[in-house]
Amino acid sequence: MLKFFLRRLLAIIPIVFGVIVVVFLTLKLIPGDPASALLGASATPSQRKQLIADLGLNRSIFVQFWNWFLAVLQGDLGHSILRQQPVGPMVMDAFWNTMILAVGASVIAIVGGLVIGGASALWPRTLFGRACNWIATGSVSTPQYSIGLGLIVIFAVNWEILPASGMYSSTGPQNFWDLLQHLILPAIAAGLAPMGIVARVFRSSLDDVMRADFVESYRARGAPSRKVLTHAAHNTMPALLTISGLQFGYLISGVVFVETIFSWPGLGLLIYNSIAQRDYPVIEGGVLILAVALVLINVLVDTAHAAIDPRVRPA
């Protein structure tokens, strides 16, 4: 398994490099420049020209990319143009905040998906099973920002039982309980769509396994229903592991709407604000961290899949 993991790990190097090149070139197509964002509309052309030269933006695009790439190889993501802070610590702090939100949303997605998907597979013709299927379909179809705004209106504005923004209270103990209270609403908003996907995949996999010949023979030997269900659920693990890993990666990179709505200080919100401010080093560093995290998650999922399913291992 170590050989399989190392082989998959080496395969991500060209992928990460390709992402770096695409992000760097895409940023150059964004209208505006950091000099205008720093100096404002009242700046003179000479001031803008001097600041552009100080930032190194007057060099060719190849020189800019090469200098940045060499710095990244040394672990230096540069300095924020507007905040005048090192990008590395800033991006990593925001990334861990995003990880907290992604883990909370993943718990909701996986637990809820297993319950809803299992119920709709075991009792497909009952009202309860159909209701679970409707919930799964509705959660996938509803946009995150609509769910987030609805949760804020109900639980934060009307009922006033949960906070609507931030990661901690501005005044208070700022302990684990405070974090948990602030996490509930954004985790629900982020986790409902992945929950629906996990539920539908689990339902389909469980339904296929329950119809398999080995399950029928297991029943014919008089095995209890609970053991039959446990055995069938065990055989859905490869598909469930793959879809859960992919959804966790999606949550890390795709919660920008949730973080913006709930003012959650994560990496998505940081990149979103940096795009508006033309803070290129922060954008580049943030996207790089996201790309590395996503490909590492895929490698770990593939390795775990190969560990529990020998059929996918290379000969």
Side-chain angles (χ1 to χ4, degrees), residues 104-118 191 194-195 198-199 202 240 244:
S106 295
V107 171
I108 294 173
I110 295 174
V111 175
L114 290 177
V115 172
I116 294 174
M195 182 191 72
V198 172
F202 183 57
L240 185 62
S244 298

Side-chain angles (χ1 to χ4, degrees), residues 114-135:
L114 290 177
V115 172
I116 294 174
S120 58
L122 295 176
W123 304 289
R125 298 181 181 179
T126 64
L127 180 60
F128 178 66
R130 292 177 180 176
C132 289
N133 193 30
W134 294 337
I135 292 173

Side-chain angles (χ1 to χ4, degrees), residues 15 25 38 64 67 116 123 143 149 186-187 213 216 235 292 311:
I15 298 175
L25 295 178
L38 280 171
Q64 292 182 49
N67 291 337
I116 294 174
W123 304 289
L149 292 175
D213 293 337
E216 295 296 335
N235 283 270
V292 172
R311 295 173 298 177

Side-chain angles (χ1 to χ4, degrees), residues 9-193:
L9 199 61
L10 290 175
I12 72 175
I13 295 177
I15 298 175
V16 174
F17 180 77
V19 170
I20 292 174
V21 173
V22 170
V23 170
F24 186 85
L25 295 178
T26 303
L27 290 178
K28 300 304 177 183
L29 300 177
I30 300 178
D33 57 76
S36 299
L38 280 171
L39 297 176
S42 61
T44 64
S46 60
Q47 290 175 326
R48 290 187 66 259
K49 185 177 180 180
Q50 181 61 44
L51 183 56
I52 288 175
D54 294 340
L55 296 175
L57 300 177
N58 58 339
R59 302 173 183 176
S60 69
I61 189 172
F62 300 103
V63 174
Q64 292 182 49
F65 174 76
W66 183 248
N67 291 337
W68 179 70
F69 182 67
L70 289 179
V72 169
L73 292 180
Q74 300 173 17
D76 182 12
L77 297 180
H79 280 69
S80 169
I81 295 175
L82 296 180
R83 300 171 181 84
Q84 294 299 309
Q85 299 176 8
V87 171
M90 183 192 315
V91 168
M92 290 308 300
D93 288 344
F95 175 73
W96 291 120
N97 293 340
T98 295
M99 284 289 291
I100 294 173
L101 176 56
V103 170
S106 295
V107 171
I108 294 173
I110 295 174
V111 175
L114 290 177
V115 172
I116 294 174
S120 58
L122 295 176
W123 304 289
R125 298 181 181 179
T126 64
L127 180 60
F128 178 66
R130 292 177 180 176
C132 289
N133 193 30
W134 294 337
I135 292 173
T137 303
S139 63
V140 173
S141 306
T142 308
Q144 285 183 337
Y145 57 84
S146 298
I147 297 174
L149 292 175
L151 292 174
I152 290 175
V153 170
I154 295 173
F155 293 99
V157 177
N158 292 341
W159 294 352
E160 298 182 355
I161 58 176
L162 289 172
S165 64
M167 191 171 173
Y168 292 100
S169 300
S170 56
T171 58
Q174 296 188 354
N175 52 18
F176 176 77
W177 175 245
D178 189 27
L179 172 63
L180 185 61
Q181 286 182 305
H182 284 78
L183 178 62
I184 292 175
L185 294 185
I188 293 174
L192 283 184

